Amino acid sequence: MAILTGESKKRNILLSDRIAAPMLELMTNMATIQDIGVSAAINILSAITFLLAFAFLRLQPINDRVYFPKWYLKGARESPSHGGAFVRKFVNLDMRSYLKVLSWMPAALKMPEDELISHAGLDSAVYLRIYLIGLKIFAPITVLAFIILVPVNWTNITLQSSKVQHSDIDKLSISNIPVGSKRFAAHLTMAYVFTFWTCYVLLREYEIVATMRLRFLASEKRRPDQFTVLVRNIPPDPDESIGELVEHFFLVNHPDHYLTHQVVYNANKLDKMVKEKKKMQNWLDYYQLKYERNTSQRPTTKTGFLGCFGSKVDAIEYYTSEIERIEKEETDERGKIMKDPKSVVPAAFVSFRSRWGAAVCAQTQQTSNPTVWLTEWAPEPRDVYWDNLSIPFVYLTIRRLIIAVAFFFLNFFYVLPIAFVQSLANIEGIEKAAPFLKPLIEMRTIKSFIQGFLPGIALKIFLILLPSILMFMSKVEGLTSVSSLERRSAFKYYIFLFFNVFLGSIIAGSALEQLKTFLHQSANEIPRTIGEAIPMKATFFITYVMVDGWAGVAGEILRLKPLIIFHLKNFFLVKTEKDREEAMDPGSIGFDSNEPQIQLYFLLGLVYAVVTPFLLPFILIFFGLAYVVYRHQIINVYNQEYESAAAFWPSVHGRIIVALIVSQLLLLGLLSTKGAGQSTPVLLVLPVVTFYFYKYCKNRYEPAFVEYPLQDAMRKDTLERAREPGFDLKGYLMNAYIHPVFKGDEDDEKFSISDEPEAEQVLVATKRQSRRNTPVPSKYNGSESPSLAEIVNDQRL
């Protein structure tokens, strides 16, 4: 490596001093080893407390449905409170079971991956592999960093001989290397080693997950979405309804494969009525139970806001009348939807006789006009986000533009409250806001608590509401499936964490000061500014990892909120076993909020691997603990809302690549302030190589996550026809994509076997004047598809 000398070195030293000057004030507030120790003690104690509380609570029969709801939903577990002595219905009196408080850990790791996929789905199994990747990447990196880089950094006296206040942690970082030292060769070498190892792990994992996905799709049981395509932006026709137009188009253009279709109705208003009725029914159940426990007094409520204002009325009579009113409005709305052509939106779910036919339609352009008859794979029925199907397609671009602008301002201005809270969560900020607390704050223990724990918890609190805000913004964009909504929200959350938590935390000053700094710098100086600040913020990120990654993950397994809600519902609302099942809230993985947070740890680990290796063990502990905890939750708790067959993996891979490239660029900026500017050509190779590695992976593996190979579709169709030659596919698919508010209580996924061959299609009838002579009548009696009213009536019979 070429090291700068003479005048060139002096210029770089001056530049380094000029860039680092605004950061010196921050270093005076830097947490020490003792502060980190206090934070570690608090978070370790919190994590142990959460784990012990979970180990105790999960053994109690009264909590069984909270900590093992998945097995109840599968019908594989019965409540232990059904038999035995009265006390045993609520409390576990077997003292021997309390001696195995950690038995859940080996039990969570015991289930093989193939069995896990069968039990929880491919999405859940692949989600766990994100934590495994973290362990695979950072375990060797941590060992190498502590063997090579830590001694190289520690055996210098640069910080010791300088006037800048520092802590012992800084002596383990690159900050302790003198300007222009030849020791930077070790950091450059390790940057190459870490990059190649990370790329190797990512390549292997991409190959494994792609293979798992294809194998899962090949072995998966029959599902409606395998035969169905979502068609949007259907052009209006003055002579035919949407249903007639869809049937005609696909009988003409896919005559050998089209089977049936279901038009999409705008039932959003009806859906709100159904939810409102359910809410009223819950209140009615509550007051009826209350009256049954005390028949001497009729319960009352107020008709105003939240039952706190308005006139006082009999609660049971009031909610009974409200339910009757909503039922009448619901009946009228159903009739309106069934009769009003305007309730039909220009979209439809079109089903085919084979997977091959569906794949051809979903993956090809239907007309010479690429803006109409747009086709894509239909989400599975439980994955459909029905509210957005009614949004006209032409409005989607406008909505996404509005949300993009709104997200930009949210991303920028959200840093203001974070910066304000962070300014209060340090010694100087508190002393300015409350001078009378200065004597208390200067006490060593209190000072260590503030510097080592408070900033991390303050940031954690301000991020609580953000995922809900981002999910709302994604819904406004008009995405039509829950899985795509979660992936879009995850992307927004990751961008937010990158700019506000990562970049916003490592640069001193408020948001406006940061903007002013960047506006007065050339583009090539920005990596220098950020690179210089990175080592100084290592202690802050260590505290954040301990708060969020240690105590936060341990708190996840305790499920305190679902525990409280379940017991409240169980006491006030539950009357039947069905009510008790509904009171269980297993939830799902929460990909939209959890995955971006995992990616933040990848970013921190890769950035600080060369700069401050002391951070790596804290991240390694997070990945290990999180893997065990979430494996337990996926096996026993979470009930995934949908199955996308790991469609999210390309996004996971791409974000880790982004973190790797960012770490390389920031290291380049940092070394340029250390008199190692001539090493730039050597370091510039890494982001270029990493980018081309990403392109290779994208071209090689991503198609498996976007398209369904026709060869695989044909193979599965052939096997299925040989095994079940008389299967009634049309009956199986006919009602699969009916809006949930129109479905009956029965299971709509039931199907029947029919030995009668389907009638051969001969003509396609049409009402359009210009196509009266189109050869071939409709496959239905007459020219229309079965109406929604007919389908709903058939279900009720």
Side-chain angles (χ1 to χ4, degrees):
M1 181 187 77
I3 305 298
L4 296 179
T5 58
E7 293 299 321
S8 180
K9 183 191 293 186
K10 291 179 182 177
R11 284 195 300 270
N12 277 276
I13 294 173
L14 291 173
L15 180 60
S16 176
D17 292 340
R18 180 169 59 86
I19 295 173
M23 310 297 177
L24 295 181
E25 182 182 351
L26 178 65
M27 296 184 69
T28 61
N29 260 334
M30 200 172 296
T32 64
I33 286 286
Q34 182 177 345
D35 301 334
I36 297 298
V38 170
S39 179
I42 293 173
N43 287 287
I44 290 173
L45 184 62
S46 300
I48 292 174
T49 302
F50 292 150
L51 293 176
L52 289 177
F54 161 73
F56 174 79
L57 292 172
R58 77 183 184 92
L59 295 175
Q60 310 312 313
I62 196 174
N63 299 325
D64 205 56
R65 289 179 179 270
V66 178
Y67 293 110
F68 302 96
K70 189 161 193 168
W71 297 102
Y72 282 92
L73 294 174
K74 285 178 171 286
R77 192 179 182 100
E78 293 184 359
S79 176
S81 64
H82 283 170
F86 179 77
V87 177
R88 292 182 181 274
K89 293 180 179 180
F90 303 97
V91 182
N92 184 355
L93 300 179
D94 182 6
M95 294 298 107
R96 290 174 298 178
S97 62
Y98 292 98
L99 300 177
K100 302 177 181 180
V101 293
L102 297 179
S103 61
W104 63 271
M105 288 188 176
L109 299 173
K110 189 176 180 181
M111 182 179 285
E113 190 170 58
D114 289 341
E115 186 179 343
L116 181 65
I117 294 173
S118 176
H119 173 70
L122 185 64
D123 280 344
S124 298
V126 171
Y127 175 80
L128 288 173
R129 295 196 72 89
I130 305 177
Y131 297 107
L132 274 181
I133 285 185
L135 292 172
K136 289 179 180 179
I137 289 176
F138 291 114
I141 286 179
T142 302
V143 173
L144 280 176
F146 271 77
I147 291 176
I148 298 174
L149 293 181
V150 169
V152 169
N153 295 336
W154 179 262
T155 54
N156 280 283
I157 59 171
T158 304
L159 290 176
Q160 187 176 347
S161 60
S162 69
K163 296 181 180 180
V164 176
Q165 184 176 343
H166 61 277
S167 67
D168 289 336
I169 295 176
D170 300 313
K171 294 180 181 179
L172 301 175
S173 74
I174 200 171
S175 299
N176 203 29
I177 304 295
V179 173
S181 173
K182 292 183 179 180
R183 293 192 177 202
F184 287 122
H187 299 82
L188 276 178
T189 303
M190 286 298 100
Y192 269 83
V193 172
F194 296 165
T195 295
F196 289 142
W197 172 249
T198 302
C199 290
Y200 171 75
V201 173
L202 289 176
L203 180 67
R204 290 287 301 139
E205 285 298 318
Y206 216 148
E207 182 180 1
I208 291 170
V209 174
T211 303
M212 289 172 65
R213 173 181 166 86
L214 293 176
R215 187 169 66 241
F216 177 80
L217 293 175
S219 62
E220 192 181 23
K221 294 180 181 178
R222 181 188 293 109
R223 290 194 330 194
D225 55 295
Q226 298 170 351
F227 301 87
T228 306
V229 169
L230 173 60
V231 184
R232 305 192 71 183
N233 209 26
I234 300 171
D237 189 283
D239 300 316
E240 291 187 330
S241 66
I242 295 293
E244 295 165 342
L245 187 59
V246 169
E247 181 186 4
H248 179 270
F249 180 87
F250 283 96
L251 280 175
V252 169
N253 296 289
H254 297 267
D256 299 326
H257 303 286
Y258 168 74
L259 181 60
T260 185
H261 73 274
Q262 177 57 55
V263 294
V264 177
Y265 294 84
N266 184 356
N268 292 350
K269 185 177 179 180
L270 178 61
D271 188 43
K272 291 179 182 178
M273 292 179 180
V274 172
K275 291 177 180 176
E276 180 67 16
K277 185 176 75 172
K278 186 176 180 180
K279 178 182 174 183
M280 293 294 178
Q281 187 64 51
N282 285 338
W283 280 111
L284 179 61
D285 293 342
Y286 164 69
Y287 283 113
Q288 285 177 337
L289 280 174
K290 185 176 180 180
Y291 181 63
E292 289 173 6
R293 290 167 182 161
N294 182 15
T295 55
S296 62
Q297 183 178 2
R298 296 278 293 185
T300 60
T301 186
K302 292 185 177 181
T303 58
F305 180 69
L306 295 177
C308 300
F309 305 95
S311 58
K312 200 172 186 180
V313 295
D314 184 286
I316 295 177
E317 293 179 358
Y318 171 72
Y319 284 108
T320 300
S321 63
E322 284 295 299
I323 290 172
E324 291 175 354
R325 176 185 62 80
I326 295 174
E327 284 179 345
K328 184 179 181 304
E329 294 177 357
E330 183 182 330
T331 302
D332 294 340
E333 182 65 19
R334 285 179 187 271
K336 179 181 175 182
I337 291 174
M338 293 176 184
K339 296 175 182 178
D340 187 2
K342 294 182 180 179
S343 297
V344 182
V345 301
F349 291 99
V350 179
S351 299
F352 294 81
R353 299 175 182 275
S354 64
R355 296 174 182 82
W356 190 92
V360 169
C361 180
Q363 297 165 187
T364 55
Q365 183 175 313
Q366 301 304 304
T367 69
S368 57
N369 183 352
T371 63
V372 297
W373 294 102
L374 303 177
T375 57
E376 60 184 271
W377 280 107
E380 63 166 320
R382 59 181 178 164
D383 188 23
V384 177
Y385 188 70
W386 294 95
D387 290 355
N388 282 352
L389 285 174
S390 60
I391 300 174
F393 190 83
V394 293
Y395 294 164
L396 295 182
T397 302
I398 300 173
R399 282 170 168 256
R400 287 170 186 173
L401 177 61
I402 293 173
I403 291 300
V405 174
F407 177 68
F408 170 79
F409 285 105
L410 174 69
N411 195 53
F412 181 75
F413 287 108
Y414 205 87
V415 78
L416 294 176
I418 290 179
F420 175 72
V421 172
Q422 291 288 70
S423 68
L424 293 180
N426 59 60
I427 301 298
E428 286 190 356
I430 296 177
E431 288 179 352
K432 283 182 180 179
F436 59 91
L437 293 177
K438 186 173 182 179
L440 179 65
I441 292 171
E442 291 300 326
M443 295 175 60
R444 188 60 194 166
T445 304
I446 302 298
K447 188 175 183 180
S448 296
F449 171 80
I450 292 173
Q451 291 185 326
F453 181 74
L454 202 56
I457 196 68
L459 181 59
K460 177 73 175 173
I461 291 172
F462 258 82
L463 293 177
I464 289 177
L465 295 177
L466 188 64
S468 300
I469 297 173
L470 298 179
M471 175 58 76
F472 171 77
M473 296 175 74
S474 297
K475 289 178 179 178
V476 173
E477 286 185 289
L479 300 172
T480 56
S481 67
V482 177
S483 57
S484 60
L485 284 171
E486 290 198 346
R487 291 197 295 272
R488 184 64 64 88
S489 296
F491 169 74
K492 291 186 176 72
Y493 196 17
Y494 177 73
I495 295 296
F496 184 92
L497 291 176
F498 179 82
F499 283 102
N500 286 277
V501 176
F502 179 67
L503 292 183
S505 295
I506 65 177
I507 300 176
S510 67
L512 296 177
E513 290 172 345
Q514 293 172 31
L515 179 62
K516 182 179 178 181
T517 300
F518 285 129
L519 289 177
H520 289 79
Q521 286 181 339
S522 62
N524 61 351
E525 286 184 349
I526 292 176
R528 294 185 177 189
T529 304
I530 300 174
E532 184 70 21
I534 286 174
M536 304 180 211
K537 294 301 292 184
T539 53
F540 166 75
F541 286 121
I542 288 173
T543 63
Y544 179 77
V545 170
M546 287 189 290
V547 170
D548 182 70
W550 294 9
V553 169
E556 157 67 25
I557 202 170
L558 183 58
R559 287 175 57 79
L560 187 60
K561 180 181 175 182
L563 177 69
I564 295 171
I565 291 175
F566 171 76
H567 286 303
L568 288 175
K569 287 183 176 179
N570 196 36
F571 183 78
F572 291 112
L573 298 176
V574 169
K575 291 194 295 186
T576 64
E577 280 300 312
K578 184 177 180 182
D579 294 337
R580 188 167 284 107
E581 276 194 16
E582 291 180 354
M584 292 188 304
D585 182 22
S588 58
I589 293 173
F591 179 84
D592 58 313
S593 58
N594 286 335
E595 191 270 345
Q597 290 178 321
I598 303 172
Q599 293 293 346
L600 178 62
Y601 292 111
F602 277 106
L603 178 63
L604 294 176
L606 292 172
V607 167
Y608 281 97
V610 176
V611 176
T612 309
F614 187 74
L615 182 71
L616 293 175
F618 296 89
I619 290 178
L620 203 57
I621 291 172
F622 159 75
F623 279 114
L625 178 62
Y627 176 73
V628 176
V629 166
Y630 279 96
R631 207 173 202 275
H632 173 274
Q633 299 295 80
I634 283 171
I635 292 172
N636 298 298
V637 179
Y638 293 143
N639 185 38
Q640 192 65 5
E641 296 179 33
Y642 58 83
E643 178 58 62
S644 69
F648 57 81
W649 192 257
S651 300
V652 172
H653 175 86
R655 286 195 266 273
I656 298 176
I657 291 292
V658 169
L660 187 58
I661 293 176
V662 168
S663 70
Q664 295 158 355
L665 294 176
L666 294 182
L667 178 62
L668 190 152
L670 177 58
L671 290 182
S672 67
T673 68
K674 290 286 188 178
Q678 290 186 6
S679 63
T680 298
V682 180
L683 269 177
L684 276 178
V685 174
L686 284 180
V688 174
V689 170
T690 305
F691 175 75
Y692 277 100
F693 167 77
Y694 166 75
K695 295 293 290 184
Y696 168 78
C697 291
K698 182 179 177 67
N699 295 331
R700 172 65 180 84
Y701 298 112
E702 190 170 320
F705 295 84
V706 179
E707 298 176 345
Y708 190 25
L710 295 180
Q711 182 184 31
D712 293 354
M714 180 61 75
R715 183 186 297 119
K716 195 166 178 64
D717 287 334
T718 303
L719 287 173
E720 207 165 78
R721 280 194 292 265
R723 291 171 180 169
E724 301 177 79
F727 181 78
D728 182 14
L729 185 61
K730 179 182 173 183
Y732 174 73
L733 296 173
M734 180 66 73
N735 301 335
Y737 285 95
I738 297 290
H739 196 292
V741 296
F742 296 115
K743 289 188 176 182
D745 296 331
E746 295 80 11
D747 184 6
D748 293 290
E749 293 184 359
K750 293 181 180 178
F751 54 85
S752 60
I753 302 295
S754 175
D755 294 326
E756 297 180 6
E758 295 183 6
E760 186 178 349
Q761 298 167 0
V762 185
L763 282 178
V764 177
T766 175
K767 293 182 179 180
R768 282 177 284 182
Q769 300 299 321
S770 59
R771 300 191 184 181
R772 280 282 187 190
N773 298 323
T774 303
V776 211
S778 168
K779 61 176 185 169
Y780 294 110
N781 296 331
S783 59
E784 295 185 359
S785 301
S787 67
L788 179 62
E790 293 171 347
I791 292 174
V792 173
N793 289 333
D794 288 344
Q795 287 186 341
R796 293 175 176 173
L797 294 178

